[in-house]
PDB file of all heavy atoms in Angstrom:
ATOM      1  N   GLN Y  57      85.100 100.562 106.877  1.00  0.00           N
ATOM      2  CA  GLN Y  57      85.274 100.135 105.490  1.00  0.00           C
ATOM      3  C   GLN Y  57      86.600 100.543 104.901  1.00  0.00           C
ATOM      4  O   GLN Y  57      86.847 100.335 103.727  1.00  0.00           O
ATOM      5  CB  GLN Y  57      84.146 100.700 104.619  1.00  0.00           C
ATOM      6  CG  GLN Y  57      82.787 100.142 104.963  1.00  0.00           C
ATOM      7  CD  GLN Y  57      81.762 100.426 103.875  1.00  0.00           C
ATOM      8  OE1 GLN Y  57      82.037 100.260 102.687  1.00  0.00           O
ATOM      9  NE2 GLN Y  57      80.577 100.855 104.283  1.00  0.00           N
ATOM     10  N   GLY Y  58      87.451 101.159 105.653  1.00  0.00           N
ATOM     11  CA  GLY Y  58      88.725 101.564 105.088  1.00  0.00           C
ATOM     12  C   GLY Y  58      88.556 102.642 104.032  1.00  0.00           C
ATOM     13  O   GLY Y  58      87.569 103.381 104.020  1.00  0.00           O
ATOM     14  N   LEU Y  59      89.495 102.708 103.122  1.00  0.00           N
ATOM     15  CA  LEU Y  59      89.479 103.715 102.071  1.00  0.00           C
ATOM     16  C   LEU Y  59      89.106 103.070 100.751  1.00  0.00           C
ATOM     17  O   LEU Y  59      89.616 102.001 100.414  1.00  0.00           O
ATOM     18  CB  LEU Y  59      90.863 104.358 101.919  1.00  0.00           C
ATOM     19  CG  LEU Y  59      91.219 105.493 102.865  1.00  0.00           C
ATOM     20  CD1 LEU Y  59      91.438 104.975 104.273  1.00  0.00           C
ATOM     21  CD2 LEU Y  59      92.448 106.223 102.373  1.00  0.00           C
ATOM     22  N   ARG Y  60      88.251 103.744 100.008  1.00  0.00           N
ATOM     23  CA  ARG Y  60      87.869 103.240  98.692  1.00  0.00           C
ATOM     24  C   ARG Y  60      88.161 104.311  97.657  1.00  0.00           C
ATOM     25  O   ARG Y  60      87.846 105.482  97.844  1.00  0.00           O
ATOM     26  CB  ARG Y  60      86.391 102.848  98.680  1.00  0.00           C
ATOM     27  CG  ARG Y  60      86.069 101.636  99.561  1.00  0.00           C
ATOM     28  CD  ARG Y  60      84.608 101.272  99.494  1.00  0.00           C
ATOM     29  NE  ARG Y  60      83.793 102.261 100.181  1.00  0.00           N
ATOM     30  CZ  ARG Y  60      82.457 102.308 100.105  1.00  0.00           C
ATOM     31  NH1 ARG Y  60      81.804 101.431  99.352  1.00  0.00           N
ATOM     32  NH2 ARG Y  60      81.786 103.221 100.779  1.00  0.00           N
ATOM     33  N   LEU Y  61      88.739 103.899  96.534  1.00  0.00           N
ATOM     34  CA  LEU Y  61      89.187 104.822  95.503  1.00  0.00           C
ATOM     35  C   LEU Y  61      88.015 105.285  94.653  1.00  0.00           C
ATOM     36  O   LEU Y  61      87.270 104.474  94.095  1.00  0.00           O
ATOM     37  CB  LEU Y  61      90.238 104.130  94.629  1.00  0.00           C
ATOM     38  CG  LEU Y  61      90.881 104.960  93.531  1.00  0.00           C
ATOM     39  CD1 LEU Y  61      91.695 106.110  94.137  1.00  0.00           C
ATOM     40  CD2 LEU Y  61      91.779 104.074  92.680  1.00  0.00           C
ATOM     41  N   ILE Y  62      87.888 106.616  94.528  1.00  0.00           N
ATOM     42  CA  ILE Y  62      86.800 107.197  93.731  1.00  0.00           C
ATOM     43  C   ILE Y  62      87.288 107.484  92.313  1.00  0.00           C
ATOM     44  O   ILE Y  62      86.728 106.984  91.337  1.00  0.00           O
ATOM     45  CB  ILE Y  62      86.285 108.496  94.366  1.00  0.00           C
ATOM     46  CG1 ILE Y  62      85.863 108.264  95.823  1.00  0.00           C
ATOM     47  CG2 ILE Y  62      85.106 109.045  93.559  1.00  0.00           C
ATOM     48  CD1 ILE Y  62      85.502 109.554  96.571  1.00  0.00           C
ATOM     49  N   TYR Y  63      88.298 108.302  92.188  1.00  0.00           N
ATOM     50  CA  TYR Y  63      88.902 108.671  90.907  1.00  0.00           C
ATOM     51  C   TYR Y  63      90.390 108.861  91.116  1.00  0.00           C
ATOM     52  O   TYR Y  63      90.836 109.166  92.220  1.00  0.00           O
ATOM     53  CB  TYR Y  63      88.319 109.999  90.392  1.00  0.00           C
ATOM     54  CG  TYR Y  63      87.138 109.893  89.472  1.00  0.00           C
ATOM     55  CD1 TYR Y  63      85.850 110.074  89.964  1.00  0.00           C
ATOM     56  CD2 TYR Y  63      87.294 109.636  88.112  1.00  0.00           C
ATOM     57  CE1 TYR Y  63      84.743 109.983  89.123  1.00  0.00           C
ATOM     58  CE2 TYR Y  63      86.183 109.553  87.268  1.00  0.00           C
ATOM     59  CZ  TYR Y  63      84.917 109.730  87.787  1.00  0.00           C
ATOM     60  OH  TYR Y  63      83.825 109.662  86.957  1.00  0.00           O
ATOM     61  N   TYR Y  64      91.158 108.721  90.032  1.00  0.00           N
ATOM     62  CA  TYR Y  64      92.548 109.085  90.079  1.00  0.00           C
ATOM     63  C   TYR Y  64      92.966 109.673  88.739  1.00  0.00           C
ATOM     64  O   TYR Y  64      92.332 109.430  87.714  1.00  0.00           O
ATOM     65  CB  TYR Y  64      93.442 107.907  90.469  1.00  0.00           C
ATOM     66  CG  TYR Y  64      93.461 106.745  89.495  1.00  0.00           C
ATOM     67  CD1 TYR Y  64      94.504 106.589  88.596  1.00  0.00           C
ATOM     68  CD2 TYR Y  64      92.454 105.780  89.527  1.00  0.00           C
ATOM     69  CE1 TYR Y  64      94.535 105.524  87.724  1.00  0.00           C
ATOM     70  CE2 TYR Y  64      92.468 104.706  88.653  1.00  0.00           C
ATOM     71  CZ  TYR Y  64      93.512 104.574  87.758  1.00  0.00           C
ATOM     72  OH  TYR Y  64      93.542 103.510  86.888  1.00  0.00           O
ATOM     73  N   SER Y  65      94.036 110.433  88.805  1.00  0.00           N
ATOM     74  CA  SER Y  65      94.550 111.111  87.617  1.00  0.00           C
ATOM     75  C   SER Y  65      96.067 110.972  87.613  1.00  0.00           C
ATOM     76  O   SER Y  65      96.722 111.312  88.590  1.00  0.00           O
ATOM     77  CB  SER Y  65      94.156 112.592  87.651  1.00  0.00           C
ATOM     78  OG  SER Y  65      94.866 113.326  86.687  1.00  0.00           O
ATOM     79  N   GLN Y  66      96.583 110.478  86.532  1.00  0.00           N
ATOM     80  CA  GLN Y  66      98.035 110.291  86.457  1.00  0.00           C
ATOM     81  C   GLN Y  66      98.721 111.445  85.743  1.00  0.00           C
ATOM     82  O   GLN Y  66      99.953 111.557  85.801  1.00  0.00           O
ATOM     83  CB  GLN Y  66      98.355 108.969  85.765  1.00  0.00           C
ATOM     84  CG  GLN Y  66      97.877 107.769  86.586  1.00  0.00           C
ATOM     85  CD  GLN Y  66      98.248 106.449  85.943  1.00  0.00           C
ATOM     86  OE1 GLN Y  66      97.976 106.240  84.766  1.00  0.00           O
ATOM     87  NE2 GLN Y  66      98.839 105.557  86.706  1.00  0.00           N
ATOM     88  N   ILE Y  67      97.922 112.287  85.071  1.00  0.00           N
ATOM     89  CA  ILE Y  67      98.495 113.405  84.327  1.00  0.00           C
ATOM     90  C   ILE Y  67      97.411 114.429  84.083  1.00  0.00           C
ATOM     91  O   ILE Y  67      96.205 114.108  84.128  1.00  0.00           O
ATOM     92  CB  ILE Y  67      99.106 112.894  82.995  1.00  0.00           C
ATOM     93  CG1 ILE Y  67     100.077 113.902  82.417  1.00  0.00           C
ATOM     94  CG2 ILE Y  67      98.017 112.516  82.018  1.00  0.00           C
ATOM     95  CD1 ILE Y  67     100.909 113.355  81.280  1.00  0.00           C
ATOM     96  N   VAL Y  68      97.815 115.647  83.818  1.00  0.00           N
ATOM     97  CA  VAL Y  68      96.856 116.717  83.565  1.00  0.00           C
ATOM     98  C   VAL Y  68      95.943 116.346  82.395  1.00  0.00           C
ATOM     99  O   VAL Y  68      96.385 115.740  81.422  1.00  0.00           O
ATOM    100  CB  VAL Y  68      97.607 118.034  83.281  1.00  0.00           C
ATOM    101  CG1 VAL Y  68      96.645 119.135  82.847  1.00  0.00           C
ATOM    102  CG2 VAL Y  68      98.382 118.488  84.499  1.00  0.00           C
ATOM    103  N   ASN Y  69      94.672 116.706  82.539  1.00  0.00           N
ATOM    104  CA  ASN Y  69      93.649 116.482  81.511  1.00  0.00           C
ATOM    105  C   ASN Y  69      93.320 115.020  81.271  1.00  0.00           C
ATOM    106  O   ASN Y  69      92.746 114.665  80.229  1.00  0.00           O
ATOM    107  CB  ASN Y  69      94.032 117.152  80.181  1.00  0.00           C
ATOM    108  CG  ASN Y  69      94.018 118.667  80.271  1.00  0.00           C
ATOM    109  OD1 ASN Y  69      93.177 119.238  80.966  1.00  0.00           O
ATOM    110  ND2 ASN Y  69      94.953 119.305  79.601  1.00  0.00           N
ATOM    111  N   ASP Y  70      93.674 114.183  82.226  1.00  0.00           N
ATOM    112  CA  ASP Y  70      93.340 112.764  82.120  1.00  0.00           C
ATOM    113  C   ASP Y  70      92.994 112.244  83.505  1.00  0.00           C
ATOM    114  O   ASP Y  70      93.665 112.581  84.483  1.00  0.00           O
ATOM    115  CB  ASP Y  70      94.510 111.969  81.545  1.00  0.00           C
ATOM    116  CG  ASP Y  70      94.119 110.523  81.317  1.00  0.00           C
ATOM    117  OD1 ASP Y  70      93.087 110.276  80.656  1.00  0.00           O
ATOM    118  OD2 ASP Y  70      94.837 109.632  81.815  1.00  0.00           O
ATOM    119  N   PHE Y  71      91.939 111.413  83.592  1.00  0.00           N
ATOM    120  CA  PHE Y  71      91.595 110.808  84.871  1.00  0.00           C
ATOM    121  C   PHE Y  71      90.850 109.504  84.609  1.00  0.00           C
ATOM    122  O   PHE Y  71      90.295 109.279  83.529  1.00  0.00           O
ATOM    123  CB  PHE Y  71      90.762 111.754  85.744  1.00  0.00           C
ATOM    124  CG  PHE Y  71      89.623 112.434  85.039  1.00  0.00           C
ATOM    125  CD1 PHE Y  71      88.396 111.800  84.856  1.00  0.00           C
ATOM    126  CD2 PHE Y  71      89.762 113.736  84.557  1.00  0.00           C
ATOM    127  CE1 PHE Y  71      87.351 112.442  84.209  1.00  0.00           C
ATOM    128  CE2 PHE Y  71      88.717 114.383  83.913  1.00  0.00           C
ATOM    129  CZ  PHE Y  71      87.512 113.733  83.738  1.00  0.00           C
ATOM    130  N   GLN Y  72      90.861 108.647  85.618  1.00  0.00           N
ATOM    131  CA  GLN Y  72      90.275 107.319  85.514  1.00  0.00           C
ATOM    132  C   GLN Y  72      89.333 107.069  86.683  1.00  0.00           C
ATOM    133  O   GLN Y  72      89.570 107.540  87.802  1.00  0.00           O
ATOM    134  CB  GLN Y  72      91.365 106.243  85.545  1.00  0.00           C
ATOM    135  CG  GLN Y  72      92.507 106.478  84.568  1.00  0.00           C
ATOM    136  CD  GLN Y  72      92.078 106.366  83.138  1.00  0.00           C
ATOM    137  OE1 GLN Y  72      91.149 105.628  82.823  1.00  0.00           O
ATOM    138  NE2 GLN Y  72      92.732 107.113  82.250  1.00  0.00           N
ATOM    139  N   LYS Y  73      88.298 106.298  86.433  1.00  0.00           N
ATOM    140  CA  LYS Y  73      87.391 105.908  87.495  1.00  0.00           C
ATOM    141  C   LYS Y  73      88.059 104.894  88.410  1.00  0.00           C
ATOM    142  O   LYS Y  73      88.801 104.013  87.959  1.00  0.00           O
ATOM    143  CB  LYS Y  73      86.120 105.295  86.917  1.00  0.00           C
ATOM    144  CG  LYS Y  73      85.240 106.277  86.167  1.00  0.00           C
ATOM    145  CD  LYS Y  73      83.981 105.604  85.671  1.00  0.00           C
ATOM    146  CE  LYS Y  73      83.085 106.605  84.947  1.00  0.00           C
ATOM    147  NZ  LYS Y  73      81.842 105.970  84.447  1.00  0.00           N
ATOM    148  N   GLY Y  74      87.751 105.028  89.691  1.00  0.00           N
ATOM    149  CA  GLY Y  74      88.174 104.032  90.656  1.00  0.00           C
ATOM    150  C   GLY Y  74      87.063 103.035  90.910  1.00  0.00           C
ATOM    151  O   GLY Y  74      86.221 102.782  90.053  1.00  0.00           O
ATOM    152  N   ASP Y  75      87.034 102.519  92.123  1.00  0.00           N
ATOM    153  CA  ASP Y  75      86.076 101.461  92.448  1.00  0.00           C
ATOM    154  C   ASP Y  75      84.652 101.967  92.682  1.00  0.00           C
ATOM    155  O   ASP Y  75      83.690 101.221  92.531  1.00  0.00           O
ATOM    156  CB  ASP Y  75      86.546 100.715  93.701  1.00  0.00           C
ATOM    157  CG  ASP Y  75      87.904 100.069  93.492  1.00  0.00           C
ATOM    158  OD1 ASP Y  75      88.140  99.541  92.389  1.00  0.00           O
ATOM    159  OD2 ASP Y  75      88.720 100.104  94.427  1.00  0.00           O
ATOM    160  N   ILE Y  76      84.518 103.244  93.080  1.00  0.00           N
ATOM    161  CA  ILE Y  76      83.186 103.752  93.454  1.00  0.00           C
ATOM    162  C   ILE Y  76      82.928 105.113  92.832  1.00  0.00           C
ATOM    163  O   ILE Y  76      82.556 106.061  93.487  1.00  0.00           O
ATOM    164  CB  ILE Y  76      83.025 103.815  94.987  1.00  0.00           C
ATOM    165  CG1 ILE Y  76      84.144 104.651  95.638  1.00  0.00           C
ATOM    166  CG2 ILE Y  76      83.020 102.420  95.605  1.00  0.00           C
ATOM    167  CD1 ILE Y  76      83.837 105.059  97.072  1.00  0.00           C
ATOM    168  N   ALA Y  77      83.105 105.238  91.516  1.00  0.00           N
ATOM    169  CA  ALA Y  77      83.019 106.537  90.850  1.00  0.00           C
ATOM    170  C   ALA Y  77      81.589 107.042  90.658  1.00  0.00           C
ATOM    171  O   ALA Y  77      81.385 108.238  90.413  1.00  0.00           O
ATOM    172  CB  ALA Y  77      83.720 106.456  89.504  1.00  0.00           C
TER     173      ALA Y  77
END
Side-chain angles (χ1 to χ4, degrees):
Chain Y
Q57 294 195 45
L59 277 71
R60 293 181 289 169
L61 183 65
I62 305 173
Y63 267 99
Y64 64 100
S65 167
Q66 295 183 309
I67 198 168
V68 173
N69 292 324
D70 185 52
F71 47 83
Q72 310 293 331
K73 292 182 179 180
D75 299 321
I76 55 164

